[in-house]
Amino acid sequence: MIRVGLVHLKDYESWIKSIGYDREWVIQATQATIYRSLVVESAKMGMFSIPLTYDSYIVIINAARIEDFIETVNSICNEVPVAFNTYIGSGHSYTEAIENLKEASKFVEGSEKVNELEETAVVHLDLDGYNRFMHSLRFLDAEGLINMLFQKVRQASTKHGGLTYYAGGDNFICFVPCERIEVFLNIVVTDNIKAGVGIALKPRDALRLAAQALDIIRNKEWSNKIFILREST
C-alpha cells in the first residue's frame, strides 16, 4: 500500500486579507519558508514533500512511520501563520491514496500490514541538451516548451496512478506505483529524455538512488536511456 499525508492551511484567505495590500512579497516569503521547513523536516524522517497549491502540501510517507509524519507537521507549527488540517490516505496508487485522505486523527497506524507497504519507486527524468536548447530559443519560449513537456509527463503519471513534481530546469520527479513503472517509462522516455529510477522503502532513499542512476547515464557509464537502482535488502 502507498501512504501519503496532506497538510492544508486553514483560513488562508483570512490571513492574506489581514496583512494589508502590500502583501504579495510577504505571502511568497511565508510560503517559501513553510515549504522549506516541511521539505527539511520530512527528509529527516525519510519522507518527501511536494507543494500542490502552496496552501496544501503532499508528503510521501510510504514505509516511513505515521508518527514521523505527525512529528514532522508539528515541528513546523512556528513557521505557519494560520492553523492547519492534517490528513493521511492509503491506496494501491498515489491517486487512490489522495482520494482516500481522511483526518490524521482517524487514521489508524498498523491498518496496513508491514509487508503490504509498497516500495517507493521514483523516476527522475532529464532532457538531453537542455543548455543548448535554452540558449537556442528565447527564454520565455523555452519555458513554455518545458511547461508543455511537464504537462505531458504529469498526464502520463496521473493516468498510471502517480504524482509528478517539477524540480526545476529540465528535471521532473515522478512517483509511480512499482507495478506501473515499466509502462510509464515506455510512454515518457524518448530519444531526447533519459530516466534514472530509484526503488527503496523510504522516499528519500528512492530519490537518492534515482539521482545516482541518472548520473550513471549522464556520465555515459550506461548506454541506454533508462537505468534502475534498487535498495539492497
Side-chain angles (χ1 to χ4, degrees), residues 20-224:
Y21 293 112
D22 182 23
R23 62 193 181 201
E24 195 54 43
W25 68 274
V26 179
I27 295 169
Q28 298 301 317
T30 303
Q31 289 176 165
T33 299
I34 294 170
Y35 180 47
R36 181 186 185 282
S37 296
L38 194 55
V39 167
V40 170
E41 296 304 318
S42 294
K44 290 178 182 177
M45 303 296 187
M47 301 178 292
F48 187 70
S49 300
I50 299 173
L52 292 181
T53 57
Y54 285 100
D55 62 345
S56 295
Y57 304 84
I58 286 287
V59 179
I60 310 297
I61 302 172
N62 289 345
R65 300 185 312 154
I66 296 300
E67 289 92 339
D68 291 339
F69 168 65
I70 300 298
E71 182 180 336
T72 293
V73 174
N74 289 338
S75 70
I76 67 167
C77 287
N78 292 334
E79 310 291 347
V80 181
V82 296
F84 52 82
N85 290 321
T86 306
Y87 304 88
I88 298 170
S90 62
H92 296 289
S93 68
Y94 290 93
T95 51
E96 184 179 310
I98 292 172
E99 289 171 0
N100 292 337
L101 285 167
K102 53 189 170 185
E103 290 182 19
S105 60
K106 297 178 181 177
F107 190 92
V108 179
E109 173 72 283
S111 56
E112 305 89 359
K113 296 177 182 177
V114 173
N115 59 6
E116 290 179 345
L117 295 178
E118 184 167 330
E119 291 177 304
T120 301
V122 171
V123 179
H124 190 156
L125 297 173
D126 180 74
L127 181 66
D128 290 340
Y130 173 68
N131 289 330
R132 183 176 66 254
F133 165 71
M134 286 294 290
H135 291 295
S136 66
L137 296 171
R138 291 180 299 179
F139 278 100
L140 287 179
D141 292 338
E143 187 229 4
L145 290 174
I146 288 292
N147 284 334
M148 287 177 57
L149 176 59
F150 171 69
Q151 291 304 325
K152 289 180 180 179
V153 172
R154 182 177 180 271
Q155 184 177 21
S157 71
T158 301
K159 180 179 179 180
H160 293 284
L163 284 174
T164 293
Y165 166 67
Y166 176 53
D170 60 339
N171 294 278
F172 307 124
I173 305 295
C174 308
F175 290 84
V176 182
C178 289
E179 69 274 10
R180 303 185 194 180
I181 282 291
E182 184 175 354
V183 65
F184 174 70
L185 289 170
N186 286 338
I187 294 171
V188 298
V189 175
T190 66
D191 289 342
N192 297 320
I193 296 176
K194 49 189 174 290
V197 182
I199 301 174
L201 280 175
K202 291 188 176 183
R204 180 177 175 179
D205 292 327
L207 284 157
R208 171 179 52 80
L209 291 173
Q212 184 180 348
L214 188 59
D215 263 2
I216 288 173
I217 302 173
R218 285 170 173 160
N219 295 335
K220 303 188 184 304
E221 299 172 37
W222 184 253
S223 58
N224 292 335

